[in-house]
């Protein structure tokens, strides 16, 4: 009988309890590809799952981990063969089926992306769901007319929740693409980190956090990537330049949207929804090749830190409180 090590969540007395366990391979879910997992990651949603929030997991015992990277061990699909380097983000893996906080994962071949040469498993997880989301946001802004035009003030792009996972990758990407990036953060002590990623200016999170009192404010942003939602997103809508767009990615500051339709009607602005979870495979592959081309991979060293699987449960409340900087890579074998 073959076993593998996994972080397993149990529901006990109404609480979600994590335990590192040895799991029989026969318990892996159905799927045509079995992957030997090397690295996973900690995303905001992993934090919610580990803390039992949002009723994202309906069946326990459960193996969380919405991202993983590794090597194909067994494949019943013609698309992959043993030894192929692969990774996975989203598709509700780690939520409605077992995920990447385990030495083995079994999934449908359609969920896997072949890892491009030049991108290590560790780098793929330093990017992960958060980085894919940032890239999808940038692509959506570009489709709606955003261009760098030499990083002039007229092309200032705002990133909210800038020191988090989505935010850090968005700052690095947009700056590498030539935009003047303004990083909104509640952690001014991370100035050096954010300017190191290419932010030209920091904006206090509080400056965007109040419910807007008027429908139109001074036009400032040529585009925005918003990981925060709530009053912050509502405020951004009032400050977008004529015909500019904001890509709404997250809800770290709230899921409501106390906004007015006036900026849509008088400034022709766009509110672009970003979903990385069920995003079609062709669009993901295109986004990953953009990431491999446009994200300075060297910056992933600054953005990410590696932690052993055993440390993940204690980091979960911290990511939900906005205390994690950049990306956490999980060393599944560690
Ligand atoms: N749409 C999708 O497909 C998709 C994919 C991935 C993530 N998301 C969502 O995007 C958001 C960010 O995910 P992540 O993995 O980057 O999480 P994260 O690393 O925790 O980043 C969130 C950042 O938001 C800021 N923040 C936290 N609490 C806040 C509050 N109460 N008010 C204002 N700002 C706050 C913090 O940045 P500062 O310290 O710099 O202020 C924090 O680092 C989450 O809501 C997540 O669910 C969506």
């Amino acid at each position: 009988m073959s076993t593998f090590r996994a972080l397993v969540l149990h529901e006990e007395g109404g609480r979600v309890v994590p335990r590192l366990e040895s799991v029989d391979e026969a318990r892996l879910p159905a799927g045509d590809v079995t992957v030997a997992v090397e690295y996973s990651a900690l995303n905001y949603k992993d934090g919610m799952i580990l803390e039992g929030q949002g009723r994202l997991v309906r069946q326990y015992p459960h193996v969380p981990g919405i991202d993983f990277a590794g090597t194909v061990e067994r494949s019943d699909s013609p698309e992959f063969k043993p030894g192929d380097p692969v990774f996975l983000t989203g598709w509700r893996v780690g939520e409605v089926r077992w995920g990447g906080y385990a030495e083995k994962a079994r999934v449908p071949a359609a969920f896997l992306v072949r890892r491009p040469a030049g991108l290590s498993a560790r780098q793929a997880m330093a990017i992960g769901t958060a980085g894919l989301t940032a890239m999808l946001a940038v692509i959506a802004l570009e489709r709606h007319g955003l261009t760098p035009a030499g990083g002039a003030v007229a092309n200032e792009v705002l990133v909210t929740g800038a020191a988090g996972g989505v935010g850090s990758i968005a700052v690095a990407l947009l700056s590498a693409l030539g935009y003047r990036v303004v990083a909104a953060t509640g952690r001014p002590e991370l100035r050096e980190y954010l300017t190191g990623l290419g932010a030209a200016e920091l904006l206090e999170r509080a400056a965007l956090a109040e419910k807007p009192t008027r429908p139109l404010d001074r036009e400032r942003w040529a585009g925005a990537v918003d990981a925060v939602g709530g009053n912050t997103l509502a405020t951004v809508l009032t400050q977008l330049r004529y015909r500019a767009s904001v890509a709404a990615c997250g809800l770290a500051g709230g899921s409501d949207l106390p906004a007015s339709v006036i900026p849509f009607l008088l400034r022709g602005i766009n509110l672009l929804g970003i979903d990385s979870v069920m995003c079609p495979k062709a669009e993901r592959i295109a986004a990953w090749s953009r990431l491999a081309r446009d994200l300075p991979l060297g910056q992933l060293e600054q953005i990410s830190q590696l932690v052993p699987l055993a440390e993940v449960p204690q980091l979960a409340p911290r990511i939900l409180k906005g205390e994690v900087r950049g990306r956490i890579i999980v060393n599944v074998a560690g």
Side-chain angles (χ1 to χ4, degrees), residues 42-45 48 66 129-134 136 160-168 184-187 190 194 205 209 226-229 232 248-254 273-278 318-327:
L42 179 73
N43 291 277
Y44 190 92
K45 192 188 265 180
M48 293 179 72
I66 68 168
T129 282
L132 173 64
T133 303
L136 291 171
T160 67
V166 173
S168 294
T185 183
R187 290 179 280 179
L190 296 183
L194 288 164
R205 177 200 287 179
D226 175 54
V228 173
T232 299
C249 304
L251 43 59
I274 303 301
D275 168 53
S276 66
V277 179
M278 303 308 286
R318 294 195 53 207
I319 196 165
L320 297 182
K321 280 193 228 143
E323 290 173 3
V324 164
R325 189 189 92 175
R327 294 277 298 151

Side-chain angles (χ1 to χ4, degrees), residues 5 8 11-12 23 31 45 54 60 76 79 87-88 127 149 151 157 172 209 222 249 275 310 314-315 323:
R5 206 169 70 112
V8 184
E11 199 175 35
E12 290 172 2
V23 178
K45 192 188 265 180
Y60 295 91
D76 297 325
E79 223 186 311
F87 63 92
L88 176 148
I127 299 170
V157 178
C249 304
D275 168 53
Q314 70 214 52
L315 287 169
E323 290 173 3

Side-chain angles (χ1 to χ4, degrees), residues 240-291:
L240 288 172
R241 296 172 77 88
Y242 186 71
R243 288 198 152 182
S245 308
V246 53
C249 304
L251 43 59
S255 60
D256 57 341
L257 184 57
S260 156
V261 296
I262 300 292
F264 297 94
L265 311 184
L266 298 190
R267 289 190 182 153
I269 62 156
N270 303 297
L271 174 56
L272 312 176
I274 303 301
D275 168 53
S276 66
V277 179
M278 303 308 286
C279 171
K281 194 162 177 177
E283 283 179 38
R284 284 167 197 259
I285 290 170
W288 279 99
S289 64
R290 279 288 307 273
L291 281 159

